[in-house]
């Protein structure tokens, strides 16, 4: 899908020097906001940016955006491992 935004040159320059850089930076800003607000998971954040989970974690750390690891996250991880290894 291709999306076209009409913004002034001065605004565009704030986000990058080339159309590709501008697009990547706007997508990053939107994904960071959704992650911070809890609307997407870390995995979805990585998927949106087209990167692996480790790179996503590094970017989240660089932007001081990583959410704390909660007991709910631990329990979800344990359930997922149990499913994978057949120990439900």
């Amino acid at each position: 899908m291709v999306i076209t935004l009409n913004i002034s040159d001065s605004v565009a320059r704030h986000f990058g020097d080339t159309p590709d850089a501008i697009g990547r930076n706007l997508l990053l800003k939107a994904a960071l906001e959704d992650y911070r607000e809890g609307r997407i998971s870390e995995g979805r954040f990585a998927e949106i940016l087209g990167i692996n989970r480790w790179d996503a974690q590094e970017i989240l750390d660089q932007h001081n955006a990583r959410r704390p690891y909660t007991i709910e996250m631990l329990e979800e991880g344990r359930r997922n491992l149990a499913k994978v290894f057949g120990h439900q």
Side-chain angles (χ1 to χ4, degrees):
M1 175 183 297
V2 175
I3 297 173
T4 302
L5 294 173
N6 292 314
I7 56 177
S8 70
D9 289 346
S10 64
V11 171
R13 280 191 295 274
H14 176 75
F15 293 103
D17 296 327
T18 66
D20 284 344
I22 293 165
R24 279 192 309 273
N25 286 326
L26 288 172
L27 187 60
L28 172 62
K29 301 284 186 201
L32 279 168
E33 180 66 19
D34 277 356
Y35 179 80
R36 283 184 174 125
E37 293 296 320
R39 291 187 290 264
I40 61 172
S41 66
E42 191 175 281
R44 182 72 174 136
F45 177 82
E47 182 182 350
I48 288 169
L49 297 179
I51 58 178
N52 65 45
R53 195 79 175 258
W54 294 274
D55 290 340
Q57 290 173 352
E58 186 175 325
I59 290 170
L60 290 169
D61 287 344
Q62 289 169 355
H63 291 273
N64 201 24
R66 198 111 70 103
R67 293 192 299 254
Y69 196 73
T70 65
I71 190 70
E72 291 81 13
M73 295 165 91
L74 173 64
E75 290 171 353
E76 179 182 2
R78 292 176 73 185
R79 285 191 302 273
N80 289 337
L81 284 172
K83 287 178 188 174
V84 168
F85 293 105
H87 301 285
Q88 303 205 25

